[in-house]
Amino acid sequence: MPIFIVLLGPPGAGKGTQAQRVAKALDIPHISSGDIFRENIKKQTDLGKEANRFITKGELVPDDLTIAMIKERLSRTDCESGALLDGFPRTPAQAEALSKILSEFDGKVNAVPYINVAEHELIERLTGRWTCRAQGHVFHEKFNPPKRAGVCDFDGSELYQRDDDKVETVTRRIKVYLEQTMPLIEYYKKLGILIDINGEQTIDQVTANLLKALEKVK
Ligand code: AP5
Ligand code: MG
């Protein structure tokens, strides 16, 4: 049976950082809706141009566009053994759509780790974040610095600061998260698959907690 994991948490909680490690450990693809949008923006596709209008303001990209994009990604053969979703779903409509898509592949959401971090800490994490151009690897100038400033440890590509990591946009993204994504915590709690993870520990400690919690998941 495939295993599908949804990583939930506010902007800057460490979803991308942890998803890269956990997906590797479980040998399933890491699917980040934000990374796919940024890839489309870089290539200037129609989807990228449309998504960029919302992303630069810190708003969510409309559900229909986002759901179609994830459905296409999940239909690829590398998802036959499952996937680790980072940043999707983000609204109740997306959560409903996801369970429908997965049921078409004889799958379901098996576990939803929720990485919890206080708001003031999120702002510090996002405004100090540096992201790699080639593959979206994530660093922090204070908490997780690259070996050489401005250069990705993993693939040597340039590190940049995301446009939506400015303080004003970060504040808006957190508000949007509280309004539109927080209800998913209750939704998955009711389904009995939510796993609380304390995100205010070192990156290694959070990874260890995630892997331990996911060991039991089938
Ligand atoms: P997206 O790219 O998903 O951004 P996000 O959810 O706001 O989350 P982030 O990527 O900012 O944070 P993260 O939790 O991945 O943290 P990270 O590991 O990088 O989405 C961007 C935009 O796309 C959205 O605003 C929206 O417009 C659109 N979008 C995406 N998905 C959508 C959807 N489903 N529907 C509609 N629109 C959608 O870590 C952050 C920093 O903290 C890093 O510098 C890292 O090094 C550091 N750090 C990580 N862990 C720790 C730790 N334990 N201690 C100290 N520092 C740490
Ligand atoms: Mg991310």
Side-chain angles (χ1 to χ4, degrees):
M1 283 292 271
I3 176 161
F4 291 96
I5 299 163
V6 166
L7 214 47
L8 212 58
K15 300 184 295 298
T17 302
Q18 297 300 333
Q20 274 171 355
R21 295 164 156 229
V22 172
K24 199 165 166 203
L26 301 183
D27 198 22
I28 50 176
H30 165 206
I31 299 179
S32 156
S33 44
D35 284 353
I36 304 178
F37 283 132
R38 282 183 288 279
E39 200 51 42
N40 276 276
I41 293 168
K42 195 160 84 183
K43 292 185 182 147
Q44 301 214 337
T45 65
D46 289 342
L47 173 65
K49 285 178 198 159
E50 183 63 10
N52 199 34
R53 292 177 36 218
F54 298 91
I55 293 177
T56 49
K57 288 186 279 190
E59 304 294 336
L60 294 185
V61 178
D63 281 338
D64 54 345
L65 287 178
T66 308
I67 291 166
M69 176 180 89
I70 292 294
K71 185 171 184 187
E72 187 282 321
R73 180 64 189 87
L74 284 169
S75 70
R76 296 194 204 162
T77 50
D78 65 338
C79 296
E80 275 165 10
S81 53
L84 177 56
L85 289 158
D86 153 16
F88 181 92
R90 251 177 159 92
T91 63
Q94 291 181 15
E96 292 291 341
L98 177 62
S99 66
K100 194 159 159 274
I101 294 166
L102 295 182
S103 70
E104 288 167 18
F105 305 140
D106 289 328
K108 60 175 184 175
V109 177
N110 299 83
V112 183
Y114 162 51
I115 307 179
N116 197 357
V117 174
E119 193 168 327
H120 63 89
E121 173 84 17
L122 298 174
I123 296 176
E124 192 177 3
R125 286 190 188 186
L126 291 174
T127 51
R129 168 165 63 184
W130 289 82
T131 304
C132 123
R133 282 246 187 248
Q135 298 182 67
H137 294 116
V138 183
F139 299 87
H140 190 281
E141 52 198 28
K142 202 158 104 194
F143 306 133
N144 182 26
K147 293 193 184 85
R148 270 179 60 206
V151 181
C152 177
D153 288 358
F154 302 103
D155 56 36
S157 77
E158 181 202 11
L159 300 179
Y160 75 105
Q161 289 198 288
R162 274 170 46 179
D163 278 348
D164 61 345
D165 281 347
K166 295 187 194 82
V167 179
E168 319 81 78
T169 323
V170 164
T171 311
R172 179 65 198 149
R173 281 162 58 202
I174 293 171
K175 190 153 186 286
V176 167
Y177 166 81
L178 294 173
E179 287 168 6
Q180 302 192 50
T181 309
M182 277 288 267
L184 296 188
I185 293 169
E186 257 329 288
Y187 175 90
Y188 286 120
K189 201 182 267 176
K190 278 200 186 124
L191 293 177
I193 52 176
L194 193 88
I195 305 169
D196 270 305
I197 300 284
N198 173 9
E200 295 191 29
Q201 310 177 81
T202 66
I203 293 174
D204 285 345
Q205 280 167 337
V206 177
T207 309
N209 287 1
L210 277 166
L211 291 177
K212 189 153 188 282
L214 291 171
E215 253 173 27
K216 303 171 204 130
V217 174
K218 283 275 152 11

